[in-house]
Amino acid sequence: MDKSKTRPLTWQQAIQKFDDKSVKEPKFRLPKYPDATAVRVKPEKRTSRSERDLIQTEGKIPKGVKRTMRPRGIRTTGFRPAMPEKRNRITPGVVFFDPLDDRKPYMDRNYPWRAIGRVDTPAGIGTGFLVGPRHMMTASHVIKWNGDGNTGFVQFRAGYNRDFESAGQPLFTMEAFAERVLFFKQVDGSRPIFAKESAWDFVVCVMDKKIGDELGYFGAIEYDDDWDDENFWGNAGYPLNPGRTEVPFFQDKPFCVLDEYDGDDVGDGILLRAEGDFTEGQSGSPVFATFNGDIKAIGLFSGGGTFPELSDDQGNFLPAGENFVRLIKEARNNHP
């Protein structure tokens, strides 16, 4: 046998002989996802809380669904991300708790954890949570605003968790796409966000399926500043670091809301400065507590860092208030 005939070409010889110089990047057919219609809602003028009860909506636990107040399947990571540098505008988040980050991954699809999921859009990845039968809430800056009356696709996968897939179970519980996106302000997540935008950094997406009837959904309640400095609040979402947005993490240690801002500095909205551990990917994740057995969100995570027009102190910022709840009511009532 003539071994010289079976000798492989060197890499350079193969390039010189066979490489096609005319080839450009191949085109791949991407899945066809539906766009959604953007629906602007006019905010209502704030009214004095001393003259009325707090505005709120009720959540739902479907018949036969179990509730776990602390999620099952917790793993301890001992992860400690570096604290972000203080900047003049909002950052992806702030980690408050020492000595370790207090977020922990979990594997639980009972209520309320089944009502939280990953949100994918052309603008990136965030977190969302169900607030009605087919109503999902997330951050406005997670949405891709097209400027033509539509948004890019909004995909919500409830209970998304790569750890379940590794254990031979489904990657997510249920999937839905947005048909409409109700908003007060279109927040552009491709640039730094100002306080006047962060206070309105929330949307309610009307989905193409009533997945909330099966999975359950959160209630919501207007924030009361009597709750300042009380460690009532919890959170769960899909942080990039840790977790790579593939596994949900929850805040194992309840945290406080430190300040409430209103007025012109926040564009006549309501913005809360809170503790907790938050990083990129948790945008849109609920901040919640239990009220007489009903789990209600007071706001969602917009971003963390420092807003110099508000304070020199760092915090994680949560849009909240009566219009936060009213947008959910608008979606439930007019888009059932």
Side-chain angles (χ1 to χ4, degrees), residues 83-84 91-96 275-279 301 303-306 314-316:
M83 288 287 288
T91 66
V94 175
V95 173
F96 268 83
E275 294 180 328
D277 293 340
F278 294 84
T279 50
F301 176 60
T306 303
Q314 285 199 331
N316 293 300

Side-chain angles (χ1 to χ4, degrees), residues 8-276:
L9 298 176
T10 66
W11 190 249
Q12 190 60 38
Q13 288 172 331
I15 292 173
Q16 291 176 348
K17 188 170 184 178
F18 297 111
D19 193 33
D20 189 338
K21 304 298 189 297
S22 67
V23 169
K24 298 180 180 179
E25 283 297 316
K27 293 183 179 180
F28 295 100
R29 179 175 292 179
L30 297 175
K32 178 64 176 177
Y33 292 134
D35 288 345
T37 301
V39 180
R40 184 183 296 275
V41 178
K42 185 177 180 180
E44 295 188 24
K45 187 176 181 180
R46 295 201 315 273
T47 55
S48 173
R49 282 194 291 252
S50 63
E51 301 172 0
R52 57 172 174 77
D53 293 333
L54 295 173
I55 298 170
Q56 56 187 301
T57 63
E58 300 302 313
K60 177 180 179 179
I61 305 177
K63 186 177 180 180
V65 171
K66 303 295 184 181
R67 173 166 43 185
T68 50
M69 301 309 298
R70 188 170 187 263
R72 303 296 190 258
I74 296 169
R75 291 189 287 111
T76 301
T77 63
F79 181 79
R80 180 64 180 173
M83 288 287 288
E85 296 179 4
K86 185 175 285 190
R87 303 177 184 175
N88 289 333
R89 291 290 164 228
I90 207 162
T91 66
V94 175
V95 173
F96 268 83
F97 289 122
D98 290 318
L100 295 173
D101 185 331
D102 204 57
R103 295 170 296 179
K104 294 182 174 64
Y106 62 90
M107 293 176 67
D108 193 336
R109 285 177 174 157
N110 295 297
Y111 182 86
W113 318 106
R114 65 196 282 126
I116 300 169
R118 198 175 94 164
V119 177
D120 290 71
T121 78
I125 295 172
T127 301
F129 58 106
L130 293 170
V131 292
R134 64 178 186 127
H135 309 97
M136 185 272 294
M137 201 165 204
T138 189
S140 178
H141 77 259
V142 172
I143 303 299
K144 177 67 169 66
W145 302 104
N146 290 341
D148 61 355
N150 295 321
T151 76
F153 73 87
V154 182
Q155 180 187 31
F156 177 68
R157 287 179 281 184
Y160 181 97
N161 191 334
R162 188 65 70 180
D163 282 349
F164 274 115
E165 187 183 52
S166 300
Q169 299 184 40
L171 176 60
F172 55 89
T173 303
M174 297 188 77
E175 177 185 57
F177 287 87
E179 294 181 339
R180 297 180 182 87
V181 179
L182 277 63
F183 69 97
F184 291 124
K185 185 182 287 290
Q186 296 182 356
V187 179
D188 183 358
S190 66
R191 57 170 179 74
I193 298 173
F194 295 82
K196 290 183 177 181
E197 297 170 308
S198 185
W200 298 96
D201 189 15
F202 56 93
V203 299
V204 176
C205 300
V206 182
M207 312 307 288
D208 59 357
K209 303 185 188 78
K210 290 190 173 184
I211 62 176
D213 283 340
E214 183 172 339
L215 297 176
Y217 47 84
F218 283 75
I221 189 167
E222 176 188 2
Y223 184 76
D224 189 329
D225 55 14
D226 286 346
W227 303 330
D228 285 358
D229 301 316
E230 297 278 2
N231 59 342
F232 295 139
W233 312 111
N235 171 265
Y238 291 83
L240 177 63
N241 192 6
R244 303 185 310 280
T245 71
E246 297 291 343
V247 177
F249 280 66
F250 87 107
Q251 184 75 52
D252 197 23
K253 183 178 179 181
F255 55 91
C256 299
V257 169
L258 303 170
D259 295 295
E260 180 185 19
Y261 303 101
D262 59 14
D264 184 62
D265 285 340
V266 291
D268 290 326
I270 297 290
L271 192 62
L272 309 179
R273 184 175 70 90
E275 294 180 328

Side-chain angles (χ1 to χ4, degrees), residues 316-336:
N316 293 300
F317 290 96
L318 322 172
E322 58 192 278
N323 278 304
F324 177 86
V325 182
R326 281 178 172 145
L327 191 64
I328 299 172
K329 287 179 172 283
E330 170 79 14
R332 286 192 190 182
N333 292 339
N334 294 334
H335 306 277

